[in-house]
Amino acid sequence: MAQAAVPAGGGEAGYRFTFEPHSRRMRAELGGVALADSSRCVVLRETRLPPVFYFPRQDVRMDLLRASVHRSYCPIRGNASYWSAELDGRSEENIAWSYDEPLPEALRIKGHLAFYVERLDALRDGDRIVTAGTAPEIGAYANPLLGWLLGEAPGYSSPGDLTGALAARMIAAGIPLWRMTVLMRTLHPELVGTSYRWWRKSWAVEETRAPHSVLVSPEFLNSPFRPIFEGAGGIRRRLDGANPVLDFGILKELHAEGGTDYVAMPLLFSDGTINVLTMSSDRRGGFSTSDLGHMYEILGVLGRLYEMHAMRRTAVDLLDTYLGRHAGERVLQGTIRRGDGEDINAVIWFCDLRESTPLARAMSRQQFLDTLNEYFDCMAGAVLKHGGHVLRYIGDAALAIFPVSGDGGGVSAEQARQQAIAAAREAAAGIETINQARARSGRPLIGYGIGLHVGEVTYGNIGTASRLEFTVIGEAANMAARVESLCKELDRPILVSAEFACSAPERFASLGRHRLKGIDEPQELFTLRPDAVAAASIPVEPVASIR
């Protein structure tokens, strides 16, 4: 007499799965060999999926299988381990899986293995061949999240908006969501990731960008994120039963605040990057099988949507880092072809490290790299702080601009000059502070030169069709570099052109007329008066963001 099916998770309407004993002989064949042969299989019947046959491990040729490093997670069954088959020179990666420590709803398949039908030569159920099932039509789905996922979700312009909309949809579908966090890894020189946390009490999404240092913080080391990032699969903890397992800091916090259930699932991107989605509930009994099943069904597509946002954020971050925010935004807005650009008025800044060759010879490569970074922290850092845009680093030199009159800053020529002067003074003060510390430790001092000019340049793309650089070109840019080249000869760290100094001659002292490379007529050069009042930084209206 057939035994009754064992329902899992209470058998709620909308999503369910059952385990049934299967007494007919089942054989999993590969290369003419039976990898498994049993009359004691368990068949799993899950909503909208073909049946899966689980073989008792005792009836599986484990000697023909090797453990794989691959893992996957199901919030109903738990973490799955995978097995690969190798025989007669043939290899099938991740052909089988098992739940070694299944969650309570899936204890029936503990100690069992299942095989991917499409990777076997044959899966025999008695006298018939089992074929791989096909997915049902979209219209056959009863998942209340699916229509939203395929219809509305792709239209959200940011991961924060997507997270808030997902939470609202889950609540509308009857899922007892209390808190939810999506943590996405970030390709960024300063940040390791960005989290989006939704909480029902505020109904808002909080965005937090985490620095790399968080990876060694006690909070991260004692969080579920760490094992998931390390490939451990997912984590579920019931918080409302007797003696709940509170093995992570967040679980103690949620339990103290009335949480009843916690689930952390890997959110995979197509390149294998592991991100994390967590859900917690405060309803008695926590999440149901139907709740988790509905989330599990959409997790793959949801991951692709977050990946789309992550890729855009990565593109923005990398363009900001390598081109500068202003140039990066122009590239993202479509200024990407060779020759694309415009003529702008700007203050041009050119700075260079003095005696770099002796410095490099006097110290190790790492020490010289550290010195360069200290130097650029002062120079480029001051430019950025006072509204300028660093366009490129040329070895130990840097080229920057302070745009004039609506060209990325909305400031007048005089305001752009004041910004450049304030940046130069701050850079000089920063180098002085560094040199005091270097003198105390017996290290070589840093010398520098800054040349400032104002004029018209072309701002856009140059290079080959397949390798471009977004920068400024023109005689004004060349003039700034030529002015700086005389800083050493005239023993002045900051020199400016007559065109730059003409607006406020009382701030500058003339050093006379000097010949500049490539210019026939001698040019009058100026330096800042030591007793001049430091120019205040002029606030700059931010460039309209496209993020």
Side-chain angles (χ1 to χ4, degrees):
M1 186 171 92
Q3 300 182 43
V6 180
E12 300 92 340
Y15 196 96
R16 58 181 287 146
F17 63 102
T18 62
F19 296 114
E20 303 172 9
H22 192 75
S23 58
R24 288 195 301 273
R25 185 184 180 187
M26 298 290 302
R27 282 172 56 89
E29 299 175 356
L30 183 69
V33 176
L35 296 180
D37 190 335
S38 180
S39 297
R40 302 181 297 161
C41 286
V42 174
V43 60
L44 167 61
R45 302 188 186 279
E46 188 171 0
T47 303
R48 294 180 288 278
L49 293 174
V52 178
F53 297 90
Y54 283 85
F55 290 81
R57 186 170 295 206
Q58 300 91 326
D59 297 338
V60 177
R61 289 286 305 274
M62 299 302 297
D63 59 308
L64 300 179
L65 301 178
R66 59 173 174 81
S68 166
V69 297
H70 182 61
R71 298 289 183 272
S72 67
Y73 177 70
C74 167
I76 303 170
R77 287 173 286 257
N79 291 311
S81 301
Y82 284 76
W83 304 83
S84 299
E86 291 184 352
L87 62 159
D88 296 332
R90 181 175 175 183
S91 177
E92 285 289 343
E93 295 293 319
N94 302 320
I95 194 173
W97 71 92
S98 65
Y99 292 91
D100 300 327
E101 296 295 334
L103 294 172
E105 292 89 343
L107 286 175
R108 184 68 181 82
I109 54 173
K110 183 174 184 178
H112 289 63
L113 273 77
F115 293 87
Y116 283 107
V117 177
E118 62 272 19
R119 297 183 189 175
L120 294 168
D121 291 341
L123 178 62
R124 299 183 184 277
D125 180 6
D127 295 330
R128 74 180 185 93
I129 300 293
V130 178
T131 58
T134 57
E137 295 296 327
I138 295 299
Y141 277 71
N143 188 330
L145 303 176
L146 187 61
W148 170 85
L149 180 71
L150 299 179
E152 296 180 29
Y156 290 99
S157 60
S158 73
D161 291 343
L162 177 61
T163 301
L166 172 61
R169 184 61 187 175
M170 291 168 66
I171 294 291
I175 298 176
L177 186 65
W178 181 38
R179 288 172 58 168
M180 180 169 67
T181 298
V182 175
L183 178 60
M184 296 196 306
R185 307 288 284 272
T186 302
L187 183 60
H188 191 281
E190 297 177 319
L191 304 172
V192 69
T194 306
S195 69
Y196 303 89
R197 177 176 296 177
W198 178 92
W199 201 344
R200 194 176 63 219
K201 71 176 183 180
S202 63
W203 210 267
V205 176
E206 175 185 350
E207 177 179 340
T208 303
R209 306 193 79 181
H212 286 282
S213 59
V214 78
L215 294 176
V216 295
S217 68
E219 292 79 11
F220 175 79
L221 295 176
N222 187 33
S223 77
F225 296 140
R226 181 188 180 186
I228 292 177
F229 283 157
E230 293 175 350
I235 291 168
R236 185 181 184 187
R237 297 289 186 266
R238 297 291 180 85
L239 306 179
D240 60 350
N243 302 315
V245 177
L246 306 177
D247 49 345
F248 298 104
I250 184 63
L251 302 180
K252 298 174 184 177
E253 176 186 331
L254 294 174
H255 181 259
E257 295 178 8
T260 59
D261 204 351
Y262 177 87
V263 181
M265 296 176 282
L267 190 65
L268 300 178
F269 287 176
S270 59
D271 63 355
T273 300
I274 300 174
N275 307 278
V276 183
L277 183 148
T278 75
M279 312 185 313
S280 57
S281 177
D282 60 352
R283 182 181 70 181
R284 184 176 181 180
F287 297 112
S288 68
T289 299
S290 183
D291 298 331
L292 297 177
H294 290 147
M295 282 301 297
Y296 181 55
E297 275 193 315
I298 71 168
L299 205 58
V301 178
L302 191 64
R304 294 300 176 269
L305 292 181
Y306 276 106
E307 183 173 6
M308 173 187 68
H309 290 293
M311 291 177 68
R312 179 165 180 81
R313 172 59 66 88
T314 295
V316 170
D317 287 342
L318 292 179
L319 286 171
D320 282 357
T321 300
Y322 286 95
L323 293 183
R325 180 173 180 179
H326 187 240
E329 287 190 338
R330 293 199 174 195
V331 169
L332 283 178
Q333 288 171 340
T335 309
I336 60 173
R337 295 185 302 169
R338 182 169 60 174
D340 281 352
E342 59 183 313
D343 293 336
I344 65 170
N345 289 310
V347 169
I348 301 96
W349 162 303
F350 191 88
C351 65
D352 195 9
L353 178 67
R354 287 282 166 262
E355 304 297 337
S356 59
T357 300
L359 276 176
R361 290 173 178 170
M363 58 186 68
S364 70
R365 188 175 302 172
Q366 185 59 52
Q367 289 172 332
F368 183 62
L369 181 61
D370 292 341
T371 297
L372 276 178
N373 285 331
E374 278 189 308
Y375 162 73
F376 283 130
D377 276 342
C378 292
M379 292 289 159
V383 168
L384 295 172
K385 179 178 177 180
H386 291 280
H389 308 301
V390 178
L391 299 182
R392 63 186 304 203
Y393 298 103
I394 313 159
D396 50 22
L399 174 66
I401 60 171
F402 294 82
V404 172
S405 186
D407 295 307
V411 297
S412 68
E414 174 57 22
Q415 288 174 329
R417 288 185 177 94
Q418 291 183 33
Q419 289 173 341
I421 292 170
R425 290 188 176 278
E426 181 162 324
I431 295 293
E432 176 63 24
T433 300
I434 288 174
N435 278 338
Q436 290 174 3
R438 294 177 72 88
R440 289 193 295 270
S441 62
R443 292 178 292 163
L445 303 186
I446 295 175
Y448 65 94
I450 298 174
L452 298 174
H453 182 56
V454 62
E456 188 173 273
V457 290
T458 299
Y459 186 37
N461 289 311
I462 62 170
T464 72
S466 60
R467 175 62 177 89
L468 298 172
E469 179 176 78
F470 204 100
T471 188
V472 293
I473 57 173
E475 181 55 31
N478 297 335
M479 184 68 174
R482 291 176 180 129
V483 169
E484 187 280 326
S485 69
L486 287 186
C487 285
K488 181 179 179 181
E489 179 180 326
L490 299 179
D491 195 23
R492 293 290 191 276
I494 302 172
L495 292 179
V496 305
S497 67
E499 289 85 352
F500 187 97
C502 67
S503 65
E506 70 279 1
R507 295 180 183 169
F508 304 96
S510 175
L511 299 177
R513 301 177 75 83
H514 300 269
R515 288 195 174 277
L516 300 177
K517 183 178 179 181
I519 298 180
D520 295 335
E521 294 295 324
Q523 301 292 311
E524 187 174 12
L525 299 180
F526 295 79
T527 190
L528 287 171
R529 292 183 181 277
D531 56 347
V533 178
S537 175
I538 303 300
V540 179
E541 292 297 322
V543 179
S545 177
I546 61 172
R547 305 174 198 193

